[in-house]
Amino acid sequence: MSTFKHLYKSVTDEKHGHKLEEGLEKVRSKDPEENHLSCLLHPEERISSLKEKEVFMKEAMDDPEFTKDLKLTIDLLQNHKGPVYALVAPAYIGQFGDHITTGQIRSAFKEMGFTGMVEVAVFADILTFKEALEFHDNIKDENDFQLTSCCCPVWISLIKKHFPKIVSHIPPAVSPMIACGRVAKHLQPDAATIFIGPCMAKKMEAKEEDIKDAIDCVLTFQETEQLFEKMSIVLENQIESIRNHTSYAGRIYARTGGVSKAVEMTIKRIDPNQKIKFKAKQADGVMECKKLLEELLEGKVEANFYEGMGCQGGCVGGPKRIISTEKGKENVEEYAKEAEFETPLDNPYVIELLHVLGFKTVKDFVENSKLLTRKFT
Ligand code: SF4
């Protein structure tokens, strides 16, 4: 039974290995300047600025412009006893202003009373790793194919409702949003989790029976912007609090083709001599996804990895984005290029999280994870 240690040893050269060791030292530190996931692993007591804003609270609760999810967020920030996390979708880069940095957004959430901000891209990293291992194990000949389980609830429900014959080709994994919420609650059992993204379908996904334990509330980028405004949070004035806990692979999930590229890069690291070459096909927009799945059902298997995104352009084109799809894609690409790590296999945060979650072997991680697994029927 292969352990992670064996796997890393077999795929890591001297240069990568040295960097990884350095990274792991930082991850194990309790100092937030060193350990960029310290809010999740060693949270400090949060200070809710809402406690002093009684007038705002009253006005907010009576404000007809405030959605029920905004009111729930305010209530959690004011009254929840444990940590409250902002879990931000990979598409968030540049959504709140061209020159607003990820570090300023983190500080703004803290000023609002959140314990910390976690980039869901670190769980895109973890699930990319899982999908890559599943591809490596399951795709044995030219007729095999895998449908990505990652990320888009519209893609998943399209397959479940209209293409049940090929449901078995989806690996049994939850989305990065659900993985992030579950892990936060596993590490901090009294935590509340608020997912922030461009998507309306995520509000429904969070309530699905078998996964409703992960996320307490879903806000869109537009709702979040409204909250910043109403609470007079000025993003430009926030201090920098940059954290790098995601790899290039996890950061590109936000645009069409990102999941495929991330899985391809990771497979190449796991097994550069893979006999069956990775070949991906993507569709974005509901009609295109449907067309792709119909072709598959008719037996036109032209690739071995299929990715579908309900929105044109992927999540950067989500219905509740603030900036244009093109600008969102540009921002995501730029941010991905700045990542310190290339793939989940180079990311010490992925390794440490898998260690903290108790996965000892690769088989354990792929097959026996209650936190990361979901059965599709
Ligand atoms: S592609 Fe659209 S529907 Fe799918 S997760 Fe992203 S924003 Fe939501």
Side-chain angles (χ1 to χ4, degrees), residues 176-217:
M177 170 183 85
I178 298 297
C180 189
R182 279 195 176 160
V183 169
K185 284 172 185 270
H186 178 80
L187 296 173
Q188 307 300 331
D190 54 349
T193 51
I194 299 172
F195 176 80
I196 294 163
C199 186
M200 289 303 283
K202 287 276 173 198
K203 289 188 187 255
M204 302 304 292
E205 183 192 353
K207 291 184 180 137
E208 287 179 35
E209 196 52 37
D210 59 324
I211 47 175
K212 65 179 185 194
D213 55 321
I215 299 291
D216 294 295
C217 182

Side-chain angles (χ1 to χ4, degrees), residues 7-105:
L7 179 64
Y8 283 111
K9 227 175 161 188
S10 66
V11 300
T12 307
D13 56 23
E14 210 174 302
K15 183 181 132 223
H16 282 100
H18 185 64
K19 216 173 149 199
L20 198 61
E21 281 305 317
E22 264 179 24
L24 279 168
E25 257 173 54
K26 284 186 183 180
V27 179
R28 285 167 189 158
S29 157
K30 286 191 179 173
D31 177 355
E33 289 314 311
E34 291 282 316
N35 176 355
H36 290 182
L37 263 187
S38 64
C39 75
L40 202 56
L41 298 166
H42 320 286
E44 288 170 3
E45 205 175 321
R46 67 191 183 90
I47 304 155
S48 174
S49 60
L50 286 176
K51 294 240 185 281
E52 292 125 41
K53 293 190 176 174
E54 269 176 42
V55 179
F56 165 79
M57 285 297 300
K58 188 164 171 3
E59 280 174 7
M61 289 306 171
D62 295 337
D63 192 334
E65 280 181 24
F66 266 43
T67 60
K68 104 178 153 356
D69 288 330
L70 273 172
K71 288 178 185 173
L72 175 57
T73 300
I74 292 167
D75 184 47
L76 286 168
L77 287 174
Q78 192 191 29
N79 299 316
H80 188 71
K81 296 283 179 270
V84 182
Y85 293 110
L87 314 178
V88 294
Y92 83 113
I93 309 302
Q95 294 287 336
F96 301 108
D98 225 9
H99 302 293
I100 303 299
T101 65
T102 57
Q104 286 173 315
I105 298 171

Side-chain angles (χ1 to χ4, degrees), residues 312-336:
Q312 280 178 4
C315 297
V316 289
K320 297 293 176 182
R321 66 185 186 276
I322 296 169
I323 58 176
S324 73
T325 306
E326 294 69 33
K327 187 72 192 144
K329 185 179 171 200
E330 230 174 79
N331 291 340
V332 162
E333 287 295 334
E334 233 169 81
Y335 185 56

Side-chain angles (χ1 to χ4, degrees), residues 142-154:
E142 300 299 328
N143 298 318
D144 287 339
F145 65 91
Q146 185 163 317
L147 300 169
T148 182
S149 60
C150 268
C151 179
C152 184
V154 170

Side-chain angles (χ1 to χ4, degrees), residues 255-266:
R255 52 96 170 155
T256 303
V259 176
S260 312
K261 175 89 185 151
V263 174
E264 181 178 16
M265 287 168 73
T266 310

